[in-house]
Amino acid sequence: MTNSINLFPVEEKQTLRAEKLKFQFSFSSYSSYMTISDSSKELTIYLDDKAVRDQIIFNVNNLNASYSRDKSFLVQLFKSVVTKINEADKEDRAELEAWLVDNFKSNEVNK
């Protein structure tokens, strides 16, 4: 059964604590959504793809590589991105590899 609900029925601010619930977040070329559920109920919110991607980049840029938790996530993210770059076509891959090497070299010179 699918329902539509008004997320903002009142003007006051409300908070939904979902740390202990099942959470799924997805973004792709076709749709972005997040789903929060417990054993019997589920809420899915569809989001604007561009806004989600912009928020992901914004939040990654705000991580601090000096903090172990952020560093661990950034390493995992970097490895995943490199894996995806390896799947790119030859021209795109070469461009991204060159950018990465140049970026590392210029940061070493500036230290």
Side-chain angles (χ1 to χ4, degrees):
M1 179 178 188
T2 301
N3 281 334
S4 294
I5 61 172
N6 180 0
L7 282 179
F8 306 105
V10 293
E11 291 184 25
E12 65 191 59
K13 181 179 176 180
Q14 296 182 5
T15 301
L16 170 63
R17 303 289 311 207
E19 293 97 336
K20 295 180 182 176
L21 298 174
K22 184 179 174 188
F23 173 77
Q24 180 182 354
F25 175 74
S26 176
F27 71 99
S28 67
S29 301
Y30 304 106
S31 68
S32 295
Y33 65 88
M34 68 178 197
T35 300
I36 302 169
S37 62
D38 65 9
S39 59
S40 63
K41 296 178 183 144
E42 181 176 285
L43 171 65
T44 299
I45 302 171
Y46 289 90
L47 305 161
D48 178 81
D49 293 331
K50 181 173 179 349
V52 168
R53 291 168 189 262
D54 290 346
Q55 283 296 306
I56 290 169
I57 296 297
F58 175 80
N59 283 284
V60 166
N61 286 333
N62 284 328
L63 294 175
N64 186 331
S66 298
Y67 298 143
S68 62
R69 188 173 178 181
D70 288 355
K71 180 181 177 182
S72 174
F73 176 73
L74 287 169
V75 168
Q76 183 180 1
L77 181 63
F78 181 79
K79 289 178 178 179
S80 294
V81 169
V82 169
T83 299
K84 287 298 179 184
I85 289 170
N86 283 332
E87 297 171 3
D89 64 48
K90 193 173 183 177
E91 287 180 20
D92 290 339
R93 180 178 168 174
E95 178 185 344
L96 294 168
E97 287 172 344
W99 181 89
L100 184 62
V101 169
D102 289 346
N103 189 281
F104 277 138
K105 284 181 181 176
S106 68
N107 281 335
E108 287 299 318
V109 170
N110 293 331
K111 285 187 175 183

